[in-house]
Amino acid sequence: MPADFFAEARAREELGLAVFLNAGDPPLPVLTDLVALLDASGVDCLELAVPFPDSPTDGPVVRRSAGRGLARGTGLRETLDFVAAVRPGLKRLRIAVLADWSHSLRTAAPADYARAVADSGADALLAHGLPPRLRQAHHEALRAADLPEVTTCYPASSPATVAEAAAHASGYLYLVARYGRSGAGTPDGGHAGLAPFVASLRDLTVSPIAVGFGVSTAEDLLSVARSGADAAIVGSAGVAALERSLEAGSDPVDGYRSFLADLGRPLSTRPKEDTRAHP
């Protein structure tokens, strides 16, 4: 620990890529094939959410996906069993489990859920909605389980919140590009406008910085690369591609393969030299 989620991409001076999916959407047997596709396609990280209802930070696409996962009976145990089944066969892909505290974690002590996630073979845990009074116990439990932690902050977060997120980001730091719900568009000024804030985070953490929210196209990936972040996180756009395939009765793995191809990776993070003539 810490786990280096985007080491291969960084070594090639390329932007890393994480994608978000809800466990159980598509159904777990199909999701197994989709995870194999992600691994073979050079995706660096899967943020695999234990589905939970009524997320205040997710838009309708991700909420519908969570609803489908919940309708299929997918909870924390099923998600961790899935991770344990697919993890040994992965060559590149890391898996960060996202679990909502109120829906999935609150009935267990931090030491117990940290150990369960670690034992599944997951590479990190992102706890959503963790109450402030439990944060210290949560951090300590993950350290004791040798389980990397994904933390989050916003550009407008208080200095204390930013400092805490940076201090405990042993997996990576998820920089949420804007307030609001997922899938609602890019932040004002584009993701490249986050460059000053990304630079300030570099002074606070040695862990990778991944930018998410509003990242859905090749142009968005380029903008994230220009921000200086290590990786981009793509969520709602990919989930929407799966939803379209499911609604059409076509293969969701093929649908997601086409979505990844349209993203046009890899992208260099090396600044282009200015080749204009100078007087």
Side-chain angles (χ1 to χ4, degrees):
M1 206 172 78
D4 198 340
F5 278 73
F6 308 105
E8 292 186 30
R10 188 163 55 251
R12 294 192 298 268
E13 296 185 298
E14 295 171 359
L15 182 71
L17 179 63
V19 301
F20 167 93
L21 295 171
N22 275 299
D25 186 51
L28 294 179
V30 181
L31 187 59
T32 299
D33 293 337
L34 182 52
V35 167
L37 168 67
L38 299 179
D39 192 37
S41 299
V43 174
D44 298 282
C45 174
L46 167 61
E47 280 191 358
L48 184 63
V50 182
F52 61 98
D54 304 321
S55 169
T57 58
D58 287 322
V61 169
V62 173
R63 284 186 169 207
R64 289 195 297 270
S65 171
R68 290 189 293 269
L70 289 168
R72 294 181 178 116
T74 312
L76 180 62
R77 177 180 297 177
E78 291 76 16
T79 302
L80 297 185
D81 286 348
F82 175 81
V83 173
V86 301
R87 191 68 187 85
L90 300 180
K91 297 178 180 179
R92 171 193 177 100
L93 185 73
R94 292 185 179 273
I95 300 176
V97 170
L98 188 161
D100 179 68
W101 179 81
S102 181
H103 185 76
S104 301
L105 301 179
R106 68 180 300 170
T107 58
D112 293 337
Y113 66 66
R115 176 48 56 195
V117 175
D119 287 348
S120 75
D123 297 284
L125 173 64
L126 193 170
H128 177 273
L130 187 70
R133 61 185 173 80
L134 294 180
R135 287 176 185 165
Q136 189 58 39
H138 174 80
H139 299 322
E140 292 174 356
L142 267 62
R143 284 196 297 270
D146 201 28
L147 177 64
E149 181 172 359
V150 178
T151 61
T152 63
C153 70
Y154 294 84
S157 294
S158 69
T161 297
V162 173
E164 181 183 10
H168 297 287
S170 51
Y172 57 94
L173 196 160
Y174 184 159
L175 174 56
V176 185
R178 55 164 176 75
Y179 281 113
R181 290 185 175 179
S182 60
T186 59
D188 293 341
H191 296 91
L194 298 171
F197 190 72
V198 171
S200 71
L201 289 175
R202 297 289 185 202
D203 295 330
L204 301 176
T205 182
V206 298
S207 292
I209 298 166
V211 171
F213 269 47
V215 183
S216 61
T217 66
E219 290 76 14
D220 295 330
L221 291 182
L222 180 59
S223 190
V224 172
R226 288 171 174 164
S227 78
D230 299 287
I233 302 171
V234 176
S236 295
V239 175
L242 288 175
E243 185 175 64
R244 289 191 296 271
S245 295
L246 292 168
E247 290 176 346
S250 57
D251 185 353
V253 178
D254 285 343
Y256 206 89
R257 181 181 290 109
S258 297
F259 171 73
L260 288 176
D262 288 342
L263 287 178
R265 295 176 63 252
L267 288 173
S268 174
T269 57
R270 180 186 298 173
K272 292 184 178 179
E273 295 182 5
D274 189 347
T275 58
R276 294 173 297 179
H278 294 280

